[in-house]
Amino acid sequence: MTYEPIWGSIIAWYLFLAGLGGGAFVTSVFIRFRHPECKKLIRVGHIIAPVVVIIGLCLLMADAFAGFMHPLRFALLLTNFGSVMTWGVVFLAVFVVVTLIVLIMDFMHKESPKWLDIVGMVMGICVAVYTGCLLGVCQGFPLWNNALLPVLFLVSAVSTGMAAVLLAGVFVAPDEFNTVVSLKKFHFWLPVVEIALVMALLFITAANPSQAGWDSVMTIICGNWAIAFWVLFIALGLVIPIVLEYWMLWFAGHEMETSRTGQMISGFSDLGVLVGGFVLRLLIVSAALPITIVQPWIF
Amino acid sequence: MMTRYGMLIDTTKCIGCYSCRTACQRQNDLLPDEGFIRYEHKETGTYPTVSVESVPLQCMHCEDAPCASVCPTGAAHMGADGIVEADQGRCIGCLYCMSACPYQVRVRNSKTGAVDKCRFCAVQTENGTTSCTCVEACPTHARIFGDLDDPNSELSKAIVERDAHPIAGDLTRAKIYYVR
Ligand code: SF4
Ligand code: SF4
């Protein structure tokens, strides 16, 4: 029989937005630490973080139809602490509350206490790691059931969070955008690490004793998902941003880097990172095949 | 000793007639598109001497039930006598259990959005009540239901005699045994 993925694009959006929100808050803390004068960029991070996570949660609740019809059942989410999803709910709840408090303080022109920033940052990281563990504990799917996935999702989350803040910065705070060089340099390395992690994930999955591992990898690199993988994820989401940022940060002169054209080029690479981040979640959610369909014990 | 319900399915007897699936739908009042039993078919040989093995699959009532360990609401949980339950009133329909179950035997009710699966309703027939279960509906008697912890039950004896094993070895410690 053919296999229909259990989770669809809504879950991919949710995983993407949860990671993006966590990453955006990490970015705002990073900027506050390294470039405290960049108030506008910090605020951009503060706004993006709770907003995208709340959108993601709304998507998730609408997708969980039985709960949507009986909202009180969502309270039961806190009953099984052996479930990764229950932990995710805790991390997300704390994250949303903390980031909203920080955002309100920001709008009231008050400095949020350092410890609150740290709590938010840790929760942001937990949320990003949780999106990987959520899939990782499903032992029937070799593409998910490995310890690399949470790491990959974390790196991608921080990368997309930074890209979102920088992209918005190009338009709302072009001067500050030129200042945050250390953020850009840090951000440059994330897609590089991601390439290594994705390669490792695919090699390890393909080597899974079950045929399903090999088949999942083939669907991604030369099957139904090949175009999305090579064009949208690898090229647009990783290689082009690496090349453009490398050129901007180390080759182009200061003039070029800080010109409007230079900013637009950086903005384009950030947009690519965001598209790639979503496509990564979509690929991982949709292309995973379960060991039971190929059934080594039946065939 | 406690009761620990299990089942044996003899695929050498199964003719792939789908009687068990339809009987189950009637017994449990399922929607037309909702079935707790699904089938895999294995073809062997080359034309003209081909043989097809039909393997009915349903909830294995795993002792290490992955559905129950991932379910955030406790809707999927281990019930009494080793029967894994799917509490329709607690389920939010997140489908996490469907991703975690290695056998793809959980189904989403398209009306309520809650997830359901084989309830081992054959337990109701233990006291002699006749009903429309897969065990009774099977025209070739390919199915035996009973107590795994009772060495004298028809089930336990058949498992030993016919050398039956869970479909995926030790994975999840399943309680449905297959003769193949
Ligand atoms: S077979 Fe699937 S649904 Fe049944 S107990 Fe095992 S994991 Fe749960
Ligand atoms: S769909 Fe229902 S039974 Fe399955 S994990 Fe979610 S709440 Fe539990």
Side-chain angles (χ1 to χ4, degrees):
Chain A
M1 72 183 245
T2 50
Y3 170 72
E4 283 284 316
I6 288 160
W7 280 328
S9 57
I10 295 196
I11 296 295
W13 273 111
Y14 159 70
L15 298 177
F16 169 67
L17 292 173
L20 174 64
F25 194 79
V26 171
T27 311
S28 71
V29 177
F30 184 103
I31 302 174
R32 191 171 167 202
F33 174 65
R34 291 301 299 265
H35 309 279
E37 70 286 1
C38 295
K39 294 268 187 280
K40 279 192 197 147
L41 278 187
I42 296 175
R43 177 170 295 178
V44 166
H46 285 168
I47 295 173
I48 292 177
V51 169
V52 297
V53 170
I54 289 170
I55 294 174
L57 284 172
C58 291
L59 286 176
L60 183 72
M61 288 199 271
D63 194 47
F65 182 71
F68 195 63
M69 301 310 285
H70 304 272
L72 283 180
R73 287 187 198 166
F74 283 118
L76 300 168
L77 276 168
L78 295 172
T79 49
N80 179 7
F81 276 88
S83 168
V84 176
M85 197 178 282
T86 300
W87 283 102
V89 168
V90 172
F91 296 147
L92 284 161
V94 178
F95 181 77
V96 169
V97 170
V98 170
T99 52
L100 283 177
I101 294 175
V102 171
L103 180 62
I104 292 167
M105 294 186 75
D106 189 343
F107 274 121
M108 289 162 55
H109 299 287
K110 284 204 190 118
E111 289 269 299
S112 50
K114 283 256 156 52
W115 64 265
L116 200 60
D117 272 13
I118 303 215
V119 172
M121 189 169 87
V122 171
M123 283 299 129
I125 292 171
C126 288
V127 166
V129 172
Y130 137 81
T131 59
C133 293
L134 183 73
L135 302 180
V137 297
C138 296
Q139 37 174 315
F141 297 83
L143 185 62
W144 298 351
N145 190 216
N146 58 73
L148 271 173
L149 198 64
V151 186
L152 173 62
F153 276 14
L154 172 62
V155 176
S156 167
V158 176
S159 180
T160 51
M162 292 189 168
V165 173
L166 287 169
L167 179 60
V170 170
F171 298 99
V172 300
D175 301 339
E176 294 184 3
F177 180 84
N178 289 338
T179 324
V180 289
V181 180
S182 66
L183 175 69
K184 290 184 195 163
K185 288 199 168 146
F186 182 78
H187 185 218
F188 166 80
W189 289 106
L190 296 176
V192 178
V193 177
E194 249 179 275
I195 288 194
L197 288 171
V198 168
M199 298 275 287
L201 177 71
L202 294 182
F203 270 112
I204 289 174
T205 308
N208 188 280
S210 147
Q211 178 73 24
W214 175 263
D215 288 347
S216 308
V217 173
M218 288 305 135
T219 330
I220 292 178
I221 64 172
C222 54
N224 288 345
W225 292 98
I227 294 182
F229 176 73
W230 292 108
V231 178
L232 296 178
F233 177 59
I234 295 289
L236 186 62
L238 298 176
V239 175
I240 293 178
I242 291 172
V243 172
L244 290 182
E245 289 298 323
Y246 187 67
W247 174 40
M248 279 297 137
L249 288 168
W250 284 284
F251 268 102
H254 185 70
E255 284 285 286
M256 174 63 185
E257 194 190 330
T258 52
S259 70
R260 201 59 188 146
T261 324
Q263 291 184 334
M264 284 302 171
I265 292 173
S266 289
F268 176 76
S269 96
D270 291 328
L271 188 65
V273 168
L274 289 173
V275 173
F278 170 68
V279 171
L280 171 68
R281 308 306 194 286
L282 188 63
L283 286 171
I284 300 279
V285 168
S286 314
L289 293 169
I291 53 176
T292 38
I293 292 305
V294 190
Q295 301 157 340
W297 54 81
I298 288 187
F299 289 99
Chain B
M1 231 189 277
M2 278 172 42
T3 319
R4 207 166 52 93
Y5 288 114
M7 195 184 279
L8 175 141
I9 299 177
D10 191 338
T11 67
T12 63
K13 290 186 174 179
C14 176
I15 53 172
C17 66
Y18 291 24
S19 295
C20 47
R21 180 180 161 106
T22 41
C24 165
Q25 285 183 303
R26 188 175 147 205
Q27 169 72 23
N28 294 298
D29 225 347
L30 306 186
L31 299 175
D33 64 350
E34 190 185 20
F36 290 165
I37 302 176
R38 69 177 186 89
Y39 302 82
E40 298 274 353
H41 302 281
K42 177 192 179 186
E43 280 179 36
T44 43
T46 43
Y47 178 81
T49 46
V50 206
S51 74
V52 180
E53 180 196 11
S54 299
V55 186
L57 296 160
Q58 68 209 65
C59 172
M60 310 283 167
H61 294 272
C62 313
E63 228 124 278
D64 293 334
C67 58
S69 54
V70 301
C71 175
T73 63
H77 64 274
M78 182 58 80
D81 300 329
I83 298 181
V84 175
E85 290 171 359
D87 186 338
Q88 300 297 291
R90 287 179 83 95
C91 177
I92 56 167
C94 64
L95 313 191
Y96 200 6
C97 54
M98 288 180 70
S99 292
C101 168
Y103 309 96
Q104 318 299 313
V105 290
R106 301 182 66 90
V107 285
R108 180 178 176 275
N109 181 311
S110 55
K111 276 219 180 97
T112 65
V115 174
D116 211 339
K117 55 153 201 95
C118 163
R119 303 161 184 168
F120 258 1
C121 61
V123 71
Q124 297 160 9
T125 61
E126 289 284 273
N127 59 9
T129 322
T130 47
S131 48
C132 177
T133 66
C134 54
V135 180
E136 281 164 77
C138 178
T140 64
H141 297 291
R143 294 168 175 266
I144 304 173
F145 181 78
D147 181 2
L148 292 166
D149 272 356
D150 173 3
N152 295 316
S153 67
E154 187 194 357
L155 174 68
S156 303
K157 285 187 189 150
I159 289 175
V160 177
E161 274 162 25
R162 302 194 216 165
D163 191 26
H165 297 281
I167 194 99
D170 287 340
L171 184 76
T172 71
R173 297 207 284 150
K175 289 205 287 287
I176 294 194
Y177 288 71
Y178 286 82
V179 182
R180 312 201 26 233

